[in-house]
Amino acid sequence: MIKAILIFNNHGKPRLIRFYQYFAEDMQQQIIRETFHLVSKRDDNVCNFLEGGSLIGGSDYKLIYRHYATLYFVFCVDSSESELGILDLIQVFVETLDKCFENVCELDLIFHMDKVHYILQEVVMGGMVLETNMNEIVAQVELQNRMEKSEVSDQ
Amino acid sequence: MALKIVKGSIDRMFDKNLQDLVRGIRNHKEDEAKYISTCIDEIKQELKQDNIAVKANAVCKLTYLQMLGYDVSWAAFNIVEVMSSSKFTYKRIGYLAASQCFHEGTDVIMLTTNQIRKDLSSPHQYDTGVALTGLSCFVTPDLARDLANDIMTLMSHTKPYIRKKAVLIMYKVFLKYPESLRPAFPRLKEKLEDPDPGVQSAAVNVICELARRNPKNYLSLAPLFFKLMTSSTNNWVLIKIIKLFGALTPLEPRLGKKLIEPLTNLIHSTSAMSLLYECVNTVIAVLISLSSGMPNHSASIQLCVQKLRILIEDSDQNLKYLGLLAMSKILKTHPKSVQSHKDLILQCLDDKDESIRLRALDLLYGMVSKKNLMEIVKKLMLHVDKAEGTTYRDELLTKIIDICSQSNYQYITNFEWYISILVELTRLEGTRHGHLIASQMLDVAIRVKAIRGFAVAQMATLLDNAHLLTGNTQRNGICEVLYAAAWICGEFSEHLEDPMQTLEAMLRPKVATLPGHIQAVYVQNAAKLFATVLRKHEGETDSHAAQETSQLLIDRLPLFVQSANLEVQERASCILQLVKYIQKLQQKKVEVAEEVTALFAGELNPVAPKAQKKVPVPEGLDLDAWINKPPSESESEDEKPKAVFAKEEPKHSRSRHTEVDEKELARRREARKREQANNPFYIKASPSSQKVYDAPGVEHIPVVQIDLSVPLKVPGMPMSDQYLKLEEERRQKEKAERKKEKKKKREKRGKERKADSGPESEEDIAPAHQVDIVTEEMPENALPSDDDDKDPNDPHKALDIDLDKPLADSEKLPVRTHRPEVLKSPAEDRVNESIPQETKKRSGKEKKEKKKGKEKDRKRSKEEKKKKKHKEVEEELLESHPEEAVQSEETKEAATPPTSTSAEIKPTVHWFPVQKSSKHKKKKQKKEKEEKEKKKKKRHHHHHHHSNAGGEDSVQNGTVEEEEPLPPMSNYFLLAENSYIKMVYDIQGNHQDESKVVVSVIFENKSDSFLKSMEFNVLDSLNSKLQRPEGAGAHDSLTVPFQLPPGISNEAHFVFSVQSIVMPQKLKGTLTFIVKSDESSTHEKLDFKLHFTCTSYLITTPCYLYDAYAKLLESGDLKGSSLRLEGINMPFHHLLARICFHHHFSVVERIDSCASMYSRSIQGHHVCLLVKTSDQTVSIDAKCDEPSLLGNVLDEIKQTFSKC
């Protein structure tokens, strides 16, 4: 199970947060801060796994992250997920964002948080991996966007 | 109306949308909070408007603000409004907001049930999809209960997109509403074979997640998963399945054996690192579960370790990390294979990545032995010196202590060395772990009595140099060790060389700067030292020294009397007054030492940390009972707590304790005492044994010259290194000595061995001095088990549900009714469900008890047989057998209507046949008493047992309800018969060996005489040969391994090797035996012909997937043939059952009066049948890759039906 997905930038500013377990807002912020603190002090050439995020879960949970340019993508997962599998999933997610936004950059995420959420919803649902095939994900996202557009033009 | 819309859109043009909000926030970096609060006010205004577009826009902005940490729960109702918009655009916004901020405590969730239900059944798939996604995040027990049925329907939706979402969300539903698991499980299982890979993957995902928590309930799915594993190419699915197997193998070692081969193949073939890694992980889990037996593990272990080494050596840090992680799993069971890679792991300690260093440290923990402990710790100490960053250094420190103290200091051969290491660690600047070092010092000094002298000397030095530790205010953490030092010096002051000096050190003014609790210990222990000094000088003519000591205390203590710390103050003033009084007595030349020492008489024993928890509740004490009458509660509150209490009671651990009766306790106490007696580390607390111990113990310590005058911070070589050298020398010397005295030393070595619990190779390292470690005290009657780690609040506990039990009528998902009836509480539900089921399904055991005594006897003998079979060779067990355990009972009671429903979950195929199913194997020797019953019974069993092979298939097809039960059938054919003996036989193949079949022959004594010396022989043909024991000639006969008393039957097995299986064959044979009656004995013989039909080479092999079956048929590799049977006058399902039973087929699919069937030969030929029936005519179209085999099988089928 995936417990949480956090995207924040090099300064720790959250760009997307998605908790699959309930935490109150202040707790969520604290988790983001702690995670940022843990992740940001690591070099880029060290491994992408981290234990010891004390706020979520405990010893069964791991932080698996990737760092792209200005953004950190952090998944907090338990031991039922494959570490390398989740790394691949992050890659799939980012590539999907890249396709949907055409050369995605931090600004896209800043201004279109809702859209990023909709894309993520096609990848992970309720903490479980829903789809790993990028083409399928992109197709579903586009169909929904088209539906939205048709509704706008109806007005 | 039109005007209104226009007005609405104009309004919106002036509203901020999400982008504007974000931009605004970015432009107000200085006063962000203020800006946002004005935005929130705007949003509140927008939410008040009727226009849904405006509302949706507002909600969208709120979602963003929520991310920034603002609580938006006040808008929950508006979110629900937006969710219920008919437009997808707004609905999506609403559900997103809900999924971000709704939780179980959100009260408006109650209002959403109908809206969500509407969306779930919407004709637009994306409405449904969005609702499912949202629901997955905020599903509550109520929603789960109300919507479970709707979601279950969606699992069969036409669109795979909806199906996969519905499947995934079921996991959440199960968690919140565990009662739904059993009714929904059959459909979930179906989805494992969904044509869409995404749905399949989702189902695998859910079941893996379920099985991870309660693996035993999912063992019956293992064959299905095994098949998926060998057929799937989706790495995601494979990884999940392989991980699942990792959880299942500990429960079923036979599964592990099956897995090793395909996993090894995957390891060799896959290019995906993630898959490779998970395979290695599961192989490790398998090997752990198999850790005993199986000689050829070492190859697999080697493979794993090799692959992991490659990972660890990889430049990719992620692989390195994972390699180390997996390595630590192997370490637990196969430390030797890991220890050979010590070089690599030590190298990882130097890695720049902290995660990797920490993993490597973990591994070190398991790699130490008596031999290398000192060496490894030395290396770690070097790292401690080098380490930058306190976290890593602290981690190193704790690891050093962990490594050394593990399993009761098992690997420490020289405690002096360990004390020096601890002392060296006190030099660490700014560590948080001062208390840890202190507690180790205390622990060692208290429990290892032999070391006290040395420890006290070291602690005295430490106290003397306390300024080094306390000099820097930042070093606060480390001054905790002074607590230990002072206590040790005081408590064991008799070992001090110069107590006076230590006393002086403890009363220095600087001490007053230490934390209060340490000062308190100082003061208290100063008094102890004082007592020691007094005693030392007692009897001396010149009492000057003693008086000087008193004066010292009187001079220094007032400083502590003024302490702000109450504890220090109180102790100091007490002791000060005491000393003053003593001084008076001293001046009167009264001998006081005896009395002063008496103040601190008696020894403290170590108490285990868990001791308090382990004190058993005395009998008759009910901790949950009210002491006073409970206050009367208002009625509304009365209901709820009661229910909770009743529900939790059985789980209560305490109530279980009291159940243990007195006898059991006494037994445990006894066992514990025995264990203690055998434990060389345990010393009984009686004073006499202590004395005995003390004397030789102290003598035994070799005098190691340590220059105590050398200050702690010696430049150059640290102290502990000396020990390393000494130790090496000592070992060498010992080795040399041992060589000399090898023969004489037998006795002594034996003693050493006793004390040494380390692995064999280390046996020859004797500890530097015999050391006894006192075990910590536990309360009398302490319970040995450690069941306190389980979390009673784990939500997964509720999902521990037996899924193999057929569904009861009461187990249905609640369906919406117009006027919802009052819902039963879950507890009630459970009772309902258990009543009918328990009686029906408990594998017939209870049922039997209700029957007549005769039946009871049968059961008993059956169980006995079961036990015997346990011992039988496992290979035999691996044959696949149609399962009957439960059903055999059902068919026996043919009159009772079948209870199964189409939704029944049942292990269809038995890959690891349960013991019961292997009825063919009878233990050779049996008690004569049982024999009669068994004879009758055996028949029964064979009949029922096999008839079910067919019966079960029809259950699968959901048609059993209307069909009448099957007549009994037997697979045993008459072999030969005369007036003395009757032989019936059956031939079975198995997949394990493609050239062997087993002939089971039941010998029945028909005469009144005793039959013995039975010898069984056949004339081998070129193709088929009886397997004789090694060394026997080709024509020798085999002795039947039992004798037969009158009227008794028994079964023997003979293995035949066959080459070609395409033709049936007959072998001639003879049975010779001696008939022994009271008067005479005669030699008799009986000839027979053993008929190897082609059918007997077929093995019932289930075919799960119709797709695979269809593919096989389409492949064109198979050649066809057909058969027509006229005048068949039996129900179709009987016909199928007969084919299944007599010819070892299984039904792949049945549609009305047409069925496809499948079987495989022991040499892997596929045989497929398409059986159709229409008024008394049955046509069988058959395909097989071997035409002559097929022809013969068809002939045999024809024969079967011509007989009836």
Side-chain angles (χ1 to χ4, degrees), chain B residues 549-691:
Chain B
T549 320
S550 312
Q551 194 53 49
L552 176 74
L553 280 168
I554 290 169
D555 290 347
R556 299 280 175 88
L557 278 176
L559 175 68
F560 297 100
V561 175
Q562 293 161 12
S563 167
N565 187 299
L566 265 186
E567 182 81 17
V568 181
Q569 202 184 77
E570 192 179 0
R571 289 187 192 201
S573 57
C574 270
I575 291 168
L576 182 61
Q577 292 313 313
L578 193 70
V579 176
K580 279 181 178 164
Y581 181 66
I582 291 170
Q583 200 184 29
K584 267 184 207 161
L585 291 175
Q586 276 176 333
Q587 281 158 359
K588 290 179 191 161
K589 305 272 180 200
V590 182
E591 299 212 332
V592 284
E594 195 74 22
E595 284 153 41
V596 177
T597 330
L599 283 176
F600 307 106
E603 191 159 350
L604 295 173
N605 285 328
V607 176
K610 278 186 184 167
Q612 179 69 47
K613 211 158 74 178
K614 299 265 171 164
V615 177
V617 178
E619 212 170 334
L621 173 62
D622 183 1
L623 289 174
D624 296 325
W626 288 96
I627 296 173
N628 298 314
K629 248 189 173 179
S632 62
E633 286 166 273
S634 66
E635 281 191 345
S636 60
E637 277 178 328
D638 210 27
E639 275 302 307
K640 216 177 159 190
K642 247 189 186 168
V644 168
F645 184 67
K647 218 172 141 192
E648 283 180 352
E649 203 167 36
K651 290 178 202 160
H652 216 287
S653 59
R654 281 226 172 95
S655 60
R656 210 175 31 205
H657 287 199
T658 49
E659 275 165 29
V660 181
D661 60 333
E662 197 48 46
K663 257 189 199 166
E664 173 68 9
L665 283 176
R667 197 185 57 72
R668 286 188 194 170
R669 213 174 299 150
E670 214 27 63
R672 199 168 64 88
K673 276 186 187 150
R674 254 203 316 281
E675 195 201 277
Q676 286 172 354
N678 293 334
N679 186 350
F681 288 153
Y682 189 84
I683 295 182
K684 279 148 215 91
S686 70
S688 60
S689 65
Q690 262 171 25
K691 260 186 196 161

Side-chain angles (χ1 to χ4, degrees), chain B residues 292-303:
Chain B
S292 57
M294 283 277 281
N296 53 348
H297 281 118
S298 52
S300 313
I301 279 279
Q302 278 317 313
L303 177 70

Side-chain angles (χ1 to χ4, degrees), chain B residues 1128-1170:
Chain B
I1128 299 295
N1129 203 358
M1130 63 170 80
F1132 188 54
H1133 76 279
H1134 283 193
L1135 177 105
L1136 293 182
R1138 269 173 199 277
I1139 298 178
C1140 286
F1141 176 60
H1142 289 295
H1143 299 283
H1144 309 160
F1145 277 84
S1146 61
V1147 177
V1148 178
E1149 192 183 47
R1150 177 182 161 188
I1151 300 159
D1152 300 333
S1153 59
C1154 176
S1156 42
M1157 307 179 84
Y1158 175 78
S1159 183
R1160 238 175 91 178
S1161 78
I1162 55 172
Q1163 297 185 356
H1165 303 108
H1166 303 282
V1167 188
C1168 308
L1169 302 182
L1170 182 64

Side-chain angles (χ1 to χ4, degrees), chain B residues 389-625:
Chain B
T390 49
T391 28
Y392 177 59
R393 210 182 45 189
D394 282 357
E395 190 62 32
L396 271 169
L397 189 152
T398 46
K399 271 283 139 51
I400 291 175
I401 288 177
D402 277 356
I403 287 174
C404 292
S405 64
Q406 68 176 306
S407 29
N408 219 3
Y409 307 105
Q410 191 192 344
Y411 299 115
I412 294 185
T413 51
N414 188 338
F415 277 94
E416 290 184 13
W417 164 81
Y418 186 44
I419 296 269
S420 343
I421 288 285
L422 289 175
V423 171
E424 269 171 47
L425 286 176
T426 61
R427 286 194 244 134
L428 280 188
E429 277 184 49
T431 178
R432 290 182 290 118
H433 292 299
H435 63 277
L436 193 62
I437 303 174
S439 70
Q440 281 290 298
M441 286 173 170
L442 287 170
D443 197 41
V444 172
I446 293 169
R447 294 174 61 194
V448 186
K449 292 184 177 172
I451 202 66
R452 283 178 191 168
F454 180 77
V456 166
Q458 291 287 300
M459 294 306 122
T461 326
L462 209 56
L463 286 178
D464 215 20
N465 295 301
H467 58 279
L468 289 174
L469 301 176
T470 52
N472 192 333
T473 43
Q474 278 195 331
R475 287 174 170 185
N476 269 340
I478 204 67
C479 62
E480 286 291 326
V481 298
L482 292 176
Y483 178 99
W487 190 85
I488 292 171
C489 284
E491 185 69 20
F492 307 119
S493 49
E494 69 268 20
H495 298 289
L496 268 179
E497 254 173 48
D498 186 0
M500 189 61 196
Q501 191 196 340
T502 311
L503 185 59
E504 198 274 330
M506 277 166 74
L507 294 171
R508 281 178 200 151
K510 193 117 205 243
V511 173
T513 58
L514 289 173
H517 66 286
I518 298 179
Q519 285 184 53
V521 170
Y522 264 67
V523 171
Q524 186 77 7
N525 286 286
K528 291 184 196 167
L529 280 175
F530 175 61
T532 316
V533 174
L534 282 188
R535 199 164 58 171
K536 212 172 165 187
H537 295 290
E538 189 97 316
E540 284 175 20
T541 45
D542 176 23
S543 61
H544 186 67
Q547 285 189 13
E548 223 173 56
T549 320
S550 312
Q551 194 53 49
L552 176 74
L553 280 168
I554 290 169
D555 290 347
R556 299 280 175 88
L557 278 176
L559 175 68
F560 297 100
V561 175
Q562 293 161 12
S563 167
N565 187 299
L566 265 186
E567 182 81 17
V568 181
Q569 202 184 77
E570 192 179 0
R571 289 187 192 201
S573 57
C574 270
I575 291 168
L576 182 61
Q577 292 313 313
L578 193 70
V579 176
K580 279 181 178 164
Y581 181 66
I582 291 170
Q583 200 184 29
K584 267 184 207 161
L585 291 175
Q586 276 176 333
Q587 281 158 359
K588 290 179 191 161
K589 305 272 180 200
V590 182
E591 299 212 332
V592 284
E594 195 74 22
E595 284 153 41
V596 177
T597 330
L599 283 176
F600 307 106
E603 191 159 350
L604 295 173
N605 285 328
V607 176
K610 278 186 184 167
Q612 179 69 47
K613 211 158 74 178
K614 299 265 171 164
V615 177
V617 178
E619 212 170 334
L621 173 62
D622 183 1
L623 289 174
D624 296 325

